[in-house]
Amino acid sequence: MARIITVGAAQLGPIALADTRAQVIDRMLDLMHQAKGNGCDIVVFPELALTTFFPRWYFENQQDIDAFYEREMPGPDTQRLFDTARSLAIGFYLGYAELVEELGVLRRFNTSITVDKAGNIIGKYRKIHLPGHREHEPWRRFQHLEKRYFETGNLGFNAFRANWGQDVHGQEKQGIFGMAICNDRRWSETYRILGLQAVEMIFIGYNTPVHNPPAPEHDALSHFHNELVMQSGAYQNGTWVVGVAKAGNEEGVEQIGNSIIVAPSGEIVGACTTTGDELAVARCDLDLCISYKTTTFNFERHRQPEHYRMIVERRGAIAPD
Ligand code: CDT
């Protein structure tokens, strides 16, 4: 048996501050057409895919900041993505900055959605692990002000079912999917919470500078760490992981590419090789998850949650933080 979902990792090269959303969406539509031409069921775009990575600057004027956010989805600019996806019958994952009024309060989130082949939003996630800092830190070569510009996501990590149509044998291509955004991929909790919901494929968009101002000693390891976290997250939870970068030299800041598609074995089966707009495609059999979920990582059988709790409590008693 096989449930093959063909996935396109649609890496984007740099987006300049002056680039309009229309220009960026033209590039995304080009990648979406390429994905369709390669038989993809879904195309995965990066985090904050519609604009430059604006948290690298300290803006004082709220209007300047809010210009980077979407107030509706689809909105006037993004409607074309939905229309094209529907006419091509291809799904997509999109990361964007979200400005929303909830209970009379304006809130800002670093958000992603998954859209099905009919153009319906079937999953929504708001980034939980916000990296960086809240206050202006002029000593840095560039800022990373996600903690200033976004609230911590309030939707949790929710796996959801999706159906991508029928294969050539008439079998439904359905599975359990999850989303995360950039820094989330470095945290084992992200994968495990989704893994406990039997997730079979996780979509992750990212913007990762090569240089990490507080820890420049990590810079040379940025690709290694990118692969390490997604490969181990995939293997330890028996799930596919699709990680997609916004890459290249964006407004003077070098961002890694290294977009990868990882199998439940932990092996990389698809990868981008440039730091520009590029599509990597892989045929991903969701049934490959079964072997890992039913043997080495059979959670029901082998996890020991009661014992994890005991160990944490004992450690707390001996060496309080
Ligand atoms: N966008 C984002 O979350 N970027 C962070 C940079 C942290 S510096 C290592 C990331 O984890 O890639």
Side-chain angles (χ1 to χ4, degrees):
M1 215 171 67
R3 272 177 302 147
I4 294 172
I5 312 291
T6 305
V7 176
Q11 177 176 286
L12 287 172
I15 298 174
L17 182 58
D19 289 349
T20 63
R21 282 174 177 70
Q23 288 172 313
V24 177
I25 289 169
D26 283 345
R27 289 163 55 185
M28 294 169 78
L29 291 180
D30 184 39
L31 288 161
M32 194 182 267
H33 279 281
Q34 286 183 43
K36 185 65 190 180
N38 281 273
C40 290
D41 293 294
I42 178 159
V43 59
V44 180
F45 294 113
E47 171 194 38
L48 300 176
L50 302 170
T51 67
T52 197
F53 187 75
F54 63 92
R56 76 167 61 91
W57 292 288
Y58 176 71
F59 295 99
E60 297 207 343
N61 184 336
Q62 192 61 46
Q63 267 186 333
D64 292 340
I65 301 165
D66 284 347
F68 295 104
Y69 292 76
E70 309 305 310
R71 289 169 172 73
E72 47 185 336
M73 187 57 65
D77 293 299
T78 48
Q79 185 64 53
R80 279 196 298 151
L81 279 172
F82 286 74
D83 292 345
T84 307
R86 192 180 305 116
S87 71
L88 294 177
I90 187 170
F92 66 93
Y93 162 105
L94 170 72
Y96 63 100
E98 178 189 16
L99 177 56
V100 64
E101 191 177 316
E102 281 183 353
L103 301 172
V105 179
L106 275 184
R107 309 186 70 176
R108 294 168 184 81
F109 296 102
N110 187 341
T111 297
S112 64
I113 50 171
T114 298
V115 176
D116 72 9
K117 290 183 174 183
N120 304 307
I121 296 174
I122 53 169
K124 183 166 184 172
Y125 169 71
R126 290 170 173 162
K127 186 174 182 178
I128 289 174
H129 299 100
L130 295 172
H133 49 109
R134 196 176 308 276
E135 303 306 327
H136 189 207
E137 295 185 3
W139 61 268
R140 291 172 183 254
R141 215 196 301 153
F142 52 88
Q143 304 294 296
H144 199 116
L145 285 159
E146 286 197 60
K147 287 191 194 294
R148 184 179 192 85
Y149 297 145
F150 300 115
E151 285 183 58
T152 305
N154 59 356
L155 300 178
F157 288 106
N158 289 305
F160 56 95
R161 284 184 186 279
N163 189 338
W164 304 99
Q166 293 184 342
D167 67 15
V168 288
H169 307 293
Q171 193 198 325
E172 298 294 332
K173 299 197 287 183
Q174 46 187 318
I176 304 175
F177 296 80
M179 289 184 279
I181 301 178
C182 196
N183 191 260
D184 288 321
R185 77 194 189 287
R186 302 188 193 277
W187 298 85
S188 54
E189 292 88 341
T190 299
Y191 305 93
R192 183 49 49 91
I193 294 164
L194 290 168
L196 287 167
Q197 299 167 70
V199 74
E200 294 173 304
M201 182 176 282
I202 305 175
F203 306 127
I204 308 176
Y206 59 89
N207 281 261
T208 298
V210 173
H211 175 54
N212 182 12
E217 63 276 20
H218 302 174
D219 294 359
L221 299 170
S222 55
H223 278 210
F224 169 67
H225 289 155
N226 183 53
E227 293 175 1
L228 176 71
V229 291
M230 290 195 277
Q231 291 184 263
S232 54
Y235 170 64
Q236 291 174 346
N237 295 281
T239 180
W240 289 87
V241 171
V242 184
V244 181
K246 175 130 71 56
N249 191 311
E250 196 177 81
E251 298 290 357
V253 176
E254 205 61 54
Q255 302 202 139
I256 67 164
N258 201 208
S259 300
I260 50 174
I261 301 172
V262 186
S265 60
E267 294 166 291
I268 296 172
V269 298
C272 291
T273 56
T274 70
T275 51
D277 292 7
E278 183 182 346
L279 183 77
V281 176
R283 294 174 75 253
C284 306
D285 182 358
L286 298 185
D287 284 341
L288 284 182
C289 301
I290 295 170
S291 164
Y292 293 90
K293 287 187 192 296
T294 57
T295 62
T296 314
F297 298 109
N298 181 332
F299 291 163
E300 192 79 2
R301 202 152 166 226
H302 303 304
R303 278 185 84 243
Q304 301 290 353
E306 311 78 31
H307 292 268
Y308 307 150
R309 205 169 305 126
M310 276 172 58
I311 290 163
V312 170
E313 279 163 14
R314 266 193 32 224
R315 185 181 166 276
I318 294 164
D321 287 338

